[in-house]
Amino acid sequence: MPPPDAAEDRRPPRSLVATLRRILAFARPYRGRLAAAIGLTLVATAVGLVVPLGLQRLLDSVFQATDGSLLNQLALALLGLFALQAVLGFGGTYLMEWTGERVVTDLRRTLYGHLHRLGLRFFSDQRTGEITSRLTNDVSKVQSAATSDLGESLRLVLTLVGSVALMLALNWRLSLVIFAVVPPIAWAMRSFGVIVRKLSRTIQDRLADTTAIAEEAISGVRVVQAFAREPFEVGRYGDAVESLFETSKRRAWIVAAFWSAVGFGFSVALVTIFWFGGREVLAQRLTAGALVAFIVYALNIARSVAGAGRLYTSFQSAAGASDRLFELLDSPPEITDAPGARPLGHVRGAVELDHVSFGYADGQPILRDVSLRAEPGETVALVGPSGAGKTTLLHLIPRFYDPDAGAVLIDGVDLREATVESVRQSVALVAQDVQLFGVSLSDNIRYGRLDATDAEVEAAARAAHAHGFISALPEGYGTPVGERGVKLSGGQRQRVSIARALLKDPPILLLDEATSALDAESEAAVQTALADLMAGRTTFVIAHRLATVRDADRIVVLDAGRVVETGTHESLVAAGGLYASLAERQFVAEDVAA
């Protein structure tokens, strides 16, 4: 993975307006609520702009009119304005927050759904922690921009514009003081925002690095502890968070210095207004109430500019995070339904690879011009040295990848002309690396068919010879297996995986070292269950132990991505080729072990 700064250089960010527009596109279904929220917020802000004028009238009535009843009326009117502003503000804030939270929820769902449409090639190029960081940390950054920040920005804009207009109406000479401060601050904010956005993007990248390191070490904790590498992993994570801290510290220093300078500038402006306004009152060109109102409006402008700057910083941080989110959303799914794709329908199970070539990277083919055919109900064993392309070939059948050349067909239909869902519904894969979820045993088996009854789940477990150890557990089928099935032994995990495939009951089975983690007794039992399941179904079997595949209808021998031999166990041994060599070495090894 390239360093964050290099990644930033390669991915020029969108403009802030374009980024915010794309975020707000998720709010279109809720535009009625959003419009109501904006309306209430604007009215509440307008009411707030009237308050300083009420203060002016209140003070002038005390110092000039000496009318107690008018003082009471104005005080009650001000109290009513404050109450109205609070009610309107509550309504606007609630609707804006509701809309923002709904937008972020939809964004999370869209992002997660898009992830599941991406092919295995994408996930092989990405670390799990990096993807998780985008789903959590980056979305959290965008969340503030889409909720409170949006409503706050509208309020600040109206407050700023309204205060400026009313200040000009009160005394244009005093207004020149505040106007001399605002333009240079606005210009500085623009440059400041660009710096903050770059730093925020770098921070999000480094935060993703720390998440990825932690997730890798925690998921591989057995290896870490087996090699006594706890200090190494703690040091590796510590280096990553220190790098994150250094970048965050730099951003904090820039933000603190900038806003301290802005605050001092506005303080100077307010002192000048107080001094010059006092001289205007003494010269009787301004009333004391008008001066107080003017100062309140000046404070409004100062708060609005400062708030706008903080929001600008927040929006830039959100833009840096959204760059990463939209980069993920813009990643095109590699495996999709072609226009006019149709479901496979009833699948008999004839599988054919027609002159298939495939490689994970350009110029590095794994399979080279492979052709083979499995008839419905036939068992085909794939044999060959490590790296020959056996598992890669298996992954083409459920269309995890599309071939670079040639075609994969089921019942004579090119898989690229069928819907992806129908292809994968017709196939079950039992792999060497078993993936279980951190839920109950029952739910893990039911993953094969979500509408299965408890009785069907138990029947599948019995067929996979998993019912015995499951029943012995304190909670039986309701026992949580832990993350990735960590609470089970390797053999137990494998039997649960086989039960899951049995429950799916597909016409095509893919067994990739499906019994590799079992002891001899369990393997014999599961082989019996698999033999019953394989009857009448097309099955592809990968096994390094040749005794596992010798009864296959046909054995296909792969070497360096090519089919070099095809036949039965007896015919291939008699031919004296690669298979015979592999068989001889293995049987000799088994004799030595015995």
Side-chain angles (χ1 to χ4, degrees), residues 504-538:
K504 187 176 183 180
D505 194 21
I508 301 171
L509 291 174
L510 307 177
L511 307 177
D512 187 358
E513 291 287 350
T515 60
S516 62
L518 304 181
D519 55 42
E521 181 180 356
S522 297
E523 181 179 6
V526 172
Q527 287 288 9
T528 301
L530 287 176
D532 293 338
L533 175 66
M534 290 160 58
R537 291 174 172 80
T538 308

Side-chain angles (χ1 to χ4, degrees), residues 200-514:
S200 297
R201 173 62 192 255
T202 302
I203 287 172
Q204 291 302 113
D205 283 336
R206 290 182 176 164
L207 183 58
D209 283 343
T210 62
T211 304
I213 290 171
E215 185 160 328
E216 288 171 352
I218 292 171
S219 62
V221 66
R222 290 184 181 180
V223 176
V224 173
Q225 294 183 357
F227 285 87
R229 289 294 178 263
E230 294 91 342
F232 171 77
E233 290 299 335
V234 171
R236 192 161 71 108
Y237 184 78
D239 290 342
V241 294
E242 280 299 322
S243 178
L244 172 64
F245 169 73
E246 289 298 324
T247 307
S248 300
K249 182 176 69 174
R250 183 182 171 200
R251 185 179 68 172
W253 188 92
I254 292 173
V255 169
F258 180 80
W259 289 116
S260 295
V262 168
F264 179 74
F266 273 117
S267 297
V268 171
L270 287 173
V271 170
T272 304
I273 288 172
F274 181 76
W275 173 78
F276 185 73
R279 294 181 65 84
E280 292 286 282
V281 171
L282 292 175
Q284 297 185 345
R285 289 190 292 269
L286 193 69
T287 66
L291 176 60
V292 171
F294 196 94
I295 291 174
V296 172
Y297 285 127
L299 288 171
N300 281 345
I301 291 175
R303 283 196 296 265
S304 296
V305 172
R310 283 190 290 272
L311 287 175
Y312 187 62
T313 302
S314 177
F315 282 135
Q316 289 288 9
S317 297
S322 66
D323 283 343
R324 291 160 44 87
L325 291 180
F326 292 134
E327 181 182 284
L328 191 57
L329 278 174
D330 292 338
S331 299
E334 183 182 359
I335 307 298
T336 57
D337 289 341
R342 296 181 179 181
L344 284 176
H346 176 70
V347 176
R348 294 169 46 248
V351 178
E352 181 179 0
L353 277 73
D354 184 17
H355 297 285
V356 166
S357 295
F358 174 77
Y360 297 105
D362 293 339
Q364 300 177 29
I366 304 298
L367 298 176
R368 298 174 173 86
D369 195 30
V370 172
S371 292
L372 62 88
R373 178 178 175 83
E375 299 298 336
E378 188 177 21
T379 297
V380 176
L382 303 177
V383 175
S386 297
K390 303 183 296 296
T391 298
T392 298
L393 188 153
L394 231 58
H395 285 175
L396 295 179
I397 297 174
R399 207 183 166 199
F400 292 156
Y401 303 93
D402 281 335
D404 299 328
V408 181
L409 304 95
I410 292 180
D411 292 348
V413 178
D414 189 329
L415 298 189
R416 288 168 292 199
E417 298 174 1
T419 60
V420 176
E421 182 180 5
S422 69
V423 171
R424 295 177 181 170
Q425 287 289 1
S426 66
V427 178
L429 171 66
V430 180
Q432 181 178 12
D433 182 18
V434 177
Q435 173 66 61
L436 298 182
F437 301 96
V439 291
S440 69
L441 281 160
S442 176
D443 288 338
N444 270 287
I445 297 173
R446 189 175 279 112
Y447 205 77
R449 182 158 56 86
L450 297 178
D451 61 352
T453 65
D454 290 343
E456 289 171 323
V457 168
E458 182 177 328
R462 286 182 182 276
H465 293 262
H467 179 73
F469 82 80
I470 293 175
S471 301
L473 295 171
E475 299 179 56
Y477 282 84
T479 303
V481 301
E483 187 176 5
R484 297 180 63 86
V486 69
K487 295 182 179 180
L488 303 179
S489 69
Q492 290 172 336
R493 288 197 299 271
Q494 194 69 280
R495 278 178 278 176
V496 171
S497 175
I498 292 170
R500 185 165 58 191
L502 285 162
L503 187 62
K504 187 176 183 180
D505 194 21
I508 301 171
L509 291 174
L510 307 177
L511 307 177
D512 187 358
E513 291 287 350

Side-chain angles (χ1 to χ4, degrees), residues 30-42 88 91-93 95-96:
Y30 317 108
R31 50 184 174 271
R33 285 177 177 266
L34 184 60
I38 292 173
L40 289 172
T41 300
L42 294 182
L88 293 171
T93 300
L95 288 175
M96 187 65 71

